[in-house]
Amino acid sequence: MHLPGLRPFVYGQRHSWFGKHKISLATVCPPRTAAYAEIFAVSAQLTSSAEKGKMGAKKGLIHMTETIDLRERTLSSREIFDGKILHVFEDTVRLPDGQTATREYLRHVGAVCIVPLLENGDVLIERQFRYPIGRVVTEIPAGKLDAPTEDRLAAAQRELHEETGAAAASWRSLGLFQPACAYSDETIEMFLAEGLTFGEQKLDADEFLQLDRVPLDALVRDILDGKILDAKTQTAILKTKLLLEQDGRV
């Protein structure tokens, strides 16, 4: 196995036993550094599903001789909080190794976000206070669906108009984005909106935000410099930049 920047100098050989499987650990040293990396070479023929689950739980393995079924199967489910936006569930699941575990997670109706791109290459962005983190956030327009079955393009058109007063002549989906799949099923569809015309905002009664126009390249730099932390904004802005480059437009 070759790792870029690493000279394959093996200075030690160790073995570990996992069940009846012998795992070989070859340790390599990168040139001119004191850093070390361990490559886990697994020589095992997995047979039973229980053994597969055990091997899958072993951290650091980079090669398997057989595909593992990693699915968790629901045994029971109950709602422990029913809010206006958040719905919290507690499930009992069967793990790949046959054991059981508890999973707490949020169910979310879904959402959309929009990159409103002006003809001069500026992006219409929002600054608003986000209470959970206690700070003003720079982000692109976004909003949740009114219902799980709502057409996502129609939702994006509505949210763009309500938050910015803008309507777009051209719409392009940038794909789906799951911001927190470890504890939520929320799925956001990202859109690029162009050919903007402007009317009047229709903000909610409890919604306060400031609009600004920022060059796309400046937003990319701020993301790479760690100045924009919002995940949907990072993803949608960087995808927009790459797609425009692929189209030969920047």
Side-chain angles (χ1 to χ4, degrees):
M1 179 177 181
H2 173 67
L3 296 178
L6 293 181
R7 183 168 53 215
F9 169 69
V10 178
Y11 71 88
Q13 185 82 5
R14 292 188 288 127
H15 294 87
S16 177
W17 286 90
F18 188 73
K20 64 180 181 181
H21 305 293
K22 189 177 183 181
I23 302 172
S24 175
L25 293 79
T27 310
V28 298
C29 176
R32 296 181 301 277
T33 72
Y36 297 97
E38 286 189 330
I39 300 175
F40 288 66
V42 181
S43 299
Q45 181 62 40
L46 305 182
T47 53
S48 70
S49 59
E51 287 171 340
K52 293 178 183 180
K54 291 178 182 178
M55 293 298 290
K58 186 72 173 177
K59 295 182 178 179
L61 302 181
I62 61 174
H63 172 73
M64 300 298 296
T65 60
E66 213 174 295
T67 302
I68 299 173
D69 183 358
L70 298 173
R71 289 175 296 176
E72 299 178 355
R73 292 166 172 79
T74 305
L75 299 178
S76 65
S77 179
R78 69 186 185 99
E79 189 172 18
I80 58 178
F81 177 76
D82 182 20
K84 294 181 179 179
I85 298 177
L86 302 179
H87 307 275
V88 184
F89 285 77
E90 181 183 76
D91 290 8
T92 300
V93 301
R94 179 78 66 192
L95 300 175
D97 66 354
Q99 302 299 310
T100 61
T102 299
R103 298 286 184 254
E104 292 181 357
Y105 61 98
L106 306 174
R107 288 203 179 277
H108 190 281
V109 70
V112 293
C113 66
I114 308 101
V115 179
L117 185 65
L118 299 164
E119 290 185 5
N120 66 351
D122 287 355
V123 176
L124 194 62
I125 59 95
E126 302 174 354
R127 305 190 202 281
Q128 60 180 317
F129 184 82
R130 291 300 191 181
Y131 183 81
I133 61 173
R135 61 180 293 179
V136 174
V137 172
T138 297
E139 57 186 304
I140 57 177
K144 69 180 185 65
L145 305 180
D146 284 344
T149 56
E150 183 180 14
D151 179 77
R152 290 176 179 266
L153 175 57
Q157 293 170 335
R158 180 191 68 244
E159 291 298 328
L160 179 64
H161 183 257
E162 289 180 356
E163 295 189 359
T164 71
S170 172
W171 289 85
R172 179 178 182 178
S173 175
L174 299 175
L176 300 176
F177 169 59
Q178 293 178 321
C181 59
Y183 57 84
S184 174
D185 68 350
E186 180 182 7
T187 299
I188 302 173
E189 185 160 2
M190 303 169 287
F191 290 91
L192 172 62
E194 298 182 88
L196 302 180
T197 56
F198 291 90
E200 185 179 352
Q201 287 176 291
K202 295 182 179 180
L203 297 176
D204 295 335
D206 62 349
E207 194 172 24
F208 301 88
L209 56 85
Q210 178 182 358
L211 297 176
D212 197 2
R213 300 183 181 194
V214 181
L216 176 62
D217 287 342
L219 291 173
V220 171
R221 287 195 300 271
D222 285 347
I223 289 169
L224 297 179
D225 289 342
K227 296 178 181 178
I228 295 178
L229 304 182
D230 180 63
K232 67 180 182 296
T233 301
Q234 289 188 5
T235 305
I237 289 295
L238 294 178
K239 289 192 75 169
T240 296
K241 174 67 173 177
L242 289 173
L243 288 174
L244 294 181
E245 288 180 347
Q246 290 177 5
D247 293 345
R249 295 175 53 188
V250 293

